[in-house]
Amino acid sequence: MAKYDVVITGSGLSGLVCGSILAKNGLKVCILEKNSLIGGCLQSFKRKGVVFDTGVHYIGSLDKGQILEKCFNYLGLMDVLNFTRMNSDAYDIISFGSDGKEFHHAVGYDKFQEILTAEFPNEKNAIKKYCETLRRVNDSFSMNTSNTIPDSVYFTTSTIAFLKSITDNEKLQSVLAGSNLLYAGVSDRTPMYIHALVNHSYIESAYKIVNGSGQIADFLADFIENNSGKILLNHEVTRYVHNDSGLIMGALTSSGDIVEGDKFISCIHPSLTVGMIDNRYIRKPYAERLANLENTISVFGLYAVMKENAFPYKESNYYHYRNDNVWTIESYDEAVWPENFFLSVASPTDDGKWARGVNVLCYMKYDEVEKWNDTSVGKRGDDYKAFKEKKAQALIKLIEERFPGFSGMIDSYYTSTPLTYRDYTATVRGSMYGIFHDSKDFMRSHLSVKTKIPNLFLAGQNVSLHGVLGVTINSIVACGSILGLDSLMQKIGIK
């Protein structure tokens, strides 16, 4: 088997972005994927002609000159993908069952402030300060942050502490934090920089990808293979092979092949990565730290094909809460599940008036499906099917409170659990966003793209920031460790 300049483990967004950047710069790359499908959280699937996304439901910072637009343009994605702009007055709608009110998050800081100030006229200064802080956090968060930690309060202040510092109005706090499913927020532990960067991205601009995020994976994979790269499916990396000095010289796969390379990038969970390194070449405290990091919660998904001309197309996403508590991870209780949901519609039919596909997500702990831990897709048994149906009906009941008549508009529906997420995206216990970053112990949960092995690098949602933007930036930093970060950023146009 040929030797490669860089061998990449995992074909999710990070692996494909890394592979594309390196191939674009003349390096010979090989991506090793344990599953039979590429894409990880980019994967889409089709039911009755309707495309459903599994992990990427909308994207921010995509207007001309914004950071993700520059990155996607460098990767060639802006020329091949079709995006539809979301409602600029309400890309996200936050609502509460306690009072039936809804609150809008708007695109553009001026509009964002204007609309929320109309709802909270006595909180004008707080809303202004909120927006100023999000901009300041974004301006201070350089590409180099993935390698070095600035001495900044942004990393050690929790999201709720930040919100309480600008306002005593608990309803406004809930509205501002209402989209926390985007980062699996825990009020007094999630660092405010995560809240700030994620929300800043969507306030800049908000788009959906027409016909699904799987197109990103397909295009990048074709680009890699058209530039002398290789993507090997059903090739799970079981361990790394070292030379006498400790450098990695190859990746041993489940097929028995050793794929040799000069440098290696792991885009899978760090706890899995460290388990593949010979313990002679890695310090025990570092290995134990990576192996024992806490992960974010998982998710239950409902994918509904709607009857024709039944459910109006929505240019907004909906975050609905049973009561005023938006930090539902902390109050998680199987007996009253679900306490909230996120609802997003697939691309509209040709007339643009009606939705054929509706995605609904809500938090679910892996503990609820632990009994089926050793089963595989399609072979979990009738009791698992009954469990999913019970959960689906409970979720539909809550959706009905927000959208009366919803159940009667459904043609058919499909469900996923943390087990589905685990098996298709290879995340630990179906974690939504990988490692949980903790403001109370930030240094422990922060990872650099560089490891203790000089020719092994990390990328993906576990490094600093998740989401399409976060993973793309982390991948650029990882590639910059090989190509030179300054020159790479200049090529992309972000420096």
Side-chain angles (χ1 to χ4, degrees):
M1 185 171 287
K3 182 177 180 180
Y4 298 88
D5 295 313
V6 184
V7 177
I8 299 168
T9 304
S11 70
L13 177 62
S14 56
L16 293 170
V17 169
C18 286
S20 298
I21 290 173
L22 296 171
K24 188 179 179 75
N25 284 273
L27 275 65
K28 188 175 181 181
V29 301
C30 179
I31 297 179
L32 303 174
E33 169 57 50
K34 66 175 288 189
N35 291 325
S36 58
L37 296 172
I38 62 169
C41 294
L42 289 174
Q43 291 178 23
S44 303
F45 66 93
K46 184 179 287 188
R47 295 289 183 271
K48 295 189 174 181
V50 180
V51 176
F52 292 96
D53 289 318
T54 59
V56 180
H57 298 95
Y58 61 137
I59 299 176
S61 294
L62 207 57
D63 275 351
K64 183 68 175 177
Q66 293 175 354
I67 186 168
L68 190 61
E69 186 273 338
K70 291 180 178 180
C71 296
F72 272 19
N73 191 54
Y74 180 75
L75 293 167
L77 290 167
M78 297 305 296
D79 295 329
V80 297
L81 295 179
N82 183 15
F83 301 97
T84 181
R85 187 183 294 273
M86 299 183 67
N87 185 346
S88 60
D89 289 336
Y91 66 87
D92 280 346
I93 295 177
I94 316 298
S95 58
F96 305 92
S98 58
D99 57 17
K101 292 195 67 174
E102 64 176 38
F103 302 87
H104 297 177
H105 290 182
V107 172
Y109 277 103
D110 290 343
K111 179 67 73 172
F112 186 93
Q113 291 181 66
E114 176 188 336
I115 288 179
L116 281 186
T117 300
E119 294 288 346
F120 298 94
N122 296 326
E123 296 293 330
K124 180 177 181 179
N125 290 336
I127 296 167
K128 180 180 179 182
K129 186 172 183 180
Y130 173 83
C131 293
E132 289 174 347
T133 304
L134 262 59
R135 283 170 147 166
R136 189 161 59 248
V137 172
N138 178 75
D139 291 343
S140 69
F141 197 87
S142 71
M143 294 288 289
N144 290 315
T145 307
S146 291
N147 285 324
T148 59
I149 300 296
D151 181 16
S152 174
V153 70
Y154 304 145
F155 300 94
T156 56
T157 298
S158 70
T159 297
I160 193 62
F162 160 60
L163 294 175
K164 286 182 176 180
S165 73
I166 62 171
T167 179
D168 295 327
N169 189 309
E170 293 183 356
K171 191 72 166 190
L172 177 58
Q173 293 171 15
S174 294
V175 170
L176 293 174
S179 59
N180 73 74
L181 189 140
L182 286 168
Y183 50 89
V186 177
S187 64
D188 64 345
R189 296 179 61 201
T190 298
M192 64 87 68
Y193 88 90
I194 290 180
H195 170 93
L197 292 175
V198 169
N199 283 277
H200 169 82
S201 173
Y202 292 109
I203 294 174
E204 279 202 318
S205 60
Y207 290 84
K208 289 180 181 291
I209 304 172
V210 178
N211 294 323
S213 59
Q215 299 169 97
I216 296 176
D218 293 339
F219 174 80
L220 295 180
D222 287 345
F223 179 84
I224 291 165
E225 294 188 322
N226 289 334
N227 286 272
S228 302
K230 194 82 171 175
I231 299 176
L232 300 178
L233 302 177
N234 301 307
H235 274 62
E236 180 178 6
V237 178
T238 56
R239 68 180 176 89
Y240 288 119
V241 180
H242 300 257
N243 63 20
D244 292 339
S245 63
L247 291 177
I248 296 172
M249 55 184 293
L252 176 65
T253 74
S254 54
S255 64
D257 298 321
I258 295 179
V259 182
E260 297 183 352
D262 292 325
K263 292 182 172 62
F264 296 79
I265 300 175
S266 176
C267 299
I268 64 175
H269 197 283
S271 67
L272 301 177
T273 303
V274 76
M276 300 186 299
I277 299 173
D278 190 316
N279 58 21
R280 292 177 298 172
Y281 303 114
I282 191 168
R283 293 175 57 198
K284 186 177 180 180
Y286 178 72
E288 290 180 344
R289 172 191 164 213
L290 295 189
N292 295 310
L293 286 171
E294 181 181 353
N295 292 290
T296 52
I297 196 170
S298 191
V299 67
F300 180 88
L302 176 77
Y303 310 92
V305 176
M306 310 304 288
K307 296 175 181 177
E308 290 191 14
N309 303 337
F311 192 77
Y313 178 71
K314 311 290 186 182
E315 291 184 322
S316 307
N317 296 318
Y318 291 80
Y319 293 85
H320 181 70
Y321 295 87
R322 191 185 298 276
N323 51 48
D324 279 1
N325 173 38
V326 300
W327 305 106
T328 55
I329 292 177
E330 299 158 47
S331 59
Y332 193 96
D333 184 348
E334 294 178 32
V336 296
W337 185 97
E339 292 186 74
N340 67 301
F341 64 78
F342 161 81
L343 183 146
S344 175
V345 299
S347 301
T349 52
D350 291 339
D351 60 14
K353 290 179 60 178
W354 304 100
R356 287 303 315 281
V358 175
N359 299 291
V360 189
L361 302 176
C362 56
Y363 294 132
M364 177 173 278
K365 288 188 175 180
Y366 191 84
D367 296 349
E368 292 206 50
V369 295
E370 186 92 51
K371 63 183 290 187
W372 298 286
N373 187 64
D374 296 326
T375 63
S376 58
V377 174
K379 300 178 181 179
R380 307 202 199 277
D382 291 340
D383 56 342
Y384 177 71
K385 292 179 182 178
F387 167 84
K388 290 204 299 177
E389 178 60 21
K390 178 182 177 181
K391 293 296 185 180
Q393 289 301 317
L395 178 53
I396 290 172
K397 183 179 179 181
L398 182 59
I399 298 170
E400 284 269 355
E401 295 180 13
R402 180 63 182 79
F403 299 100
F406 180 81
S407 61
M409 303 175 192
I410 297 175
D411 174 84
S412 58
Y413 63 83
Y414 311 86
T415 56
S416 65
T417 74
L419 288 170
T420 320
Y421 214 69
R422 178 200 68 177
D423 290 346
Y424 279 101
T425 66
T427 59
V428 175
R429 293 173 66 86
S431 169
M432 291 177 73
Y433 304 120
I435 290 172
F436 178 79
H437 299 286
D438 194 342
S439 62
K440 295 182 178 180
D441 192 5
F442 179 75
M443 289 304 297
R444 183 173 185 273
S445 58
H446 174 82
L447 297 179
S448 167
V449 300
K450 296 181 179 180
T451 72
K452 305 301 181 181
I453 309 294
N455 67 336
L456 173 65
F457 306 90
L458 302 178
Q461 66 177 359
N462 297 289
V463 182
S464 187
L465 193 65
H466 60 266
V468 174
L469 176 58
V471 168
T472 300
I473 290 174
N474 292 332
S475 301
I476 291 170
V477 174
C479 292
S481 298
I482 296 171
L483 300 170
L485 185 56
D486 286 346
S487 62
L488 179 57
M489 289 195 296
Q490 286 174 356
K491 289 178 181 179
I492 299 171
I494 53 180
K495 184 173 182 178

